[in-house]
Amino acid sequence: MSDSDRLQTYRNKRDFARTPEPSGEALPRGEAPMFVIQKHAASTLHYDFRLEADGVLVSWAVPKGPSLNPSDKRLAVPTEDHPMEYVDFEGNIPQGEYGGGTVIVWDTGTYRLLPREGETDTFAAAYERGRVAVWLEGRKLVGGFALIRTGKGEKARWLLIKMDDESADPGRDPVRDEPQSVLSGRTIEDVAAEAE
Ligand code: MN
């Protein structure tokens, strides 16, 4: 599938004359793959977890956000691929538009895929298998996280789980205690206050 095909769902959902979100015309970056977690106060608050792969941001919406406790299993709902320029998007999507509400970059950085032991792996193969394990190098989050698909067919769902490595820290709750954007230092409330 070409990048532009992969972004068709994203574009079909949006009116770029009305939303400040990027339309996705830029070419993918060529450096280490990036991740972003965007805090998004839409009809319900959630955290959009996005991993660069094959020129787009493969995305899940995580209602409760990431946890540093390996015992927590956070529901992660797959959403449409987003364009690479979305990686630093924060702002206000007008009410009535798709995803209307406020977005901040809650964390971002680079990541690497953690292949299954003894194997080389690609993102696409890991996704297909239903186990995408990554090492994040972010500002708030550093360490291993796994997105794991459980169940089959209509009952399939993905979970975001902290891997049980040296970066696990059940005593720290960045979702609760570190609400600011890592790009601007602003909170959701700060950005929302700037909406016209
Ligand atoms: Mn969202």
Side-chain angles (χ1 to χ4, degrees):
M1 223 186 313
S2 74
D3 296 349
S4 59
D5 290 340
R6 291 191 60 154
L7 293 175
Q8 207 55 57
T9 303
Y10 172 88
R11 294 197 183 104
N12 288 348
K13 287 173 181 281
R14 291 167 174 80
D15 177 353
F16 294 105
R18 298 185 59 84
T19 179
E21 296 165 290
S23 59
E25 301 301 334
L27 294 171
R29 301 164 66 266
E31 304 154 35
M34 295 197 70
F35 85 92
V36 64
I37 301 171
Q38 277 150 324
K39 185 176 182 181
H40 185 184
S43 51
T44 58
L45 181 68
H46 58 274
Y47 293 76
D48 289 298
F49 190 103
R50 311 188 197 280
L51 298 171
E52 176 181 3
D54 302 317
V56 297
L57 292 167
V58 177
S59 301
W60 292 261
V62 182
K64 291 185 177 177
S67 170
L68 297 182
N69 185 343
S71 300
D72 287 339
K73 295 175 171 58
R74 297 282 162 92
L75 181 65
V77 180
T79 59
E80 75 275 19
D81 294 335
H82 277 49
M84 277 310 302
E85 305 103 291
Y86 216 93
V87 79
D88 60 2
F89 173 75
E90 30 182 63
N92 291 297
I93 302 167
Q95 296 302 333
E97 299 304 304
Y98 180 73
T102 304
V103 177
I104 62 168
V105 175
W106 184 81
D107 199 13
T108 190
T110 59
Y111 81 91
R112 61 189 168 81
L113 199 60
L114 297 174
R116 283 204 295 195
E117 195 158 346
E119 296 182 18
T120 57
D121 212 348
T122 64
F123 187 94
Y127 190 98
E128 186 67 27
R129 206 165 56 233
R131 185 182 185 281
V132 180
V134 292
W135 183 274
L136 302 181
E137 290 283 348
R139 301 270 294 277
K140 293 174 181 170
L141 303 184
V142 176
F145 287 81
L147 286 141
I148 294 174
R149 189 179 59 225
T150 64
K152 290 206 164 68
E154 301 244 316
K155 292 190 173 162
R157 58 186 194 141
W158 289 80
L159 300 170
L160 174 65
I161 304 172
K162 178 72 193 77
M163 294 173 76
D164 196 1
D165 56 28
E166 68 273 18
S167 67
D169 186 356
R172 181 177 156 225
D173 184 353
V175 164
R176 183 189 63 203
D177 297 332
E178 301 168 47
Q180 294 91 351
S181 163
V182 296
L183 293 189
S184 66
R186 297 180 299 173
T187 64
I188 281 278
E189 291 75 19
D190 294 334
V191 175
E194 294 165 9
E196 292 176 307

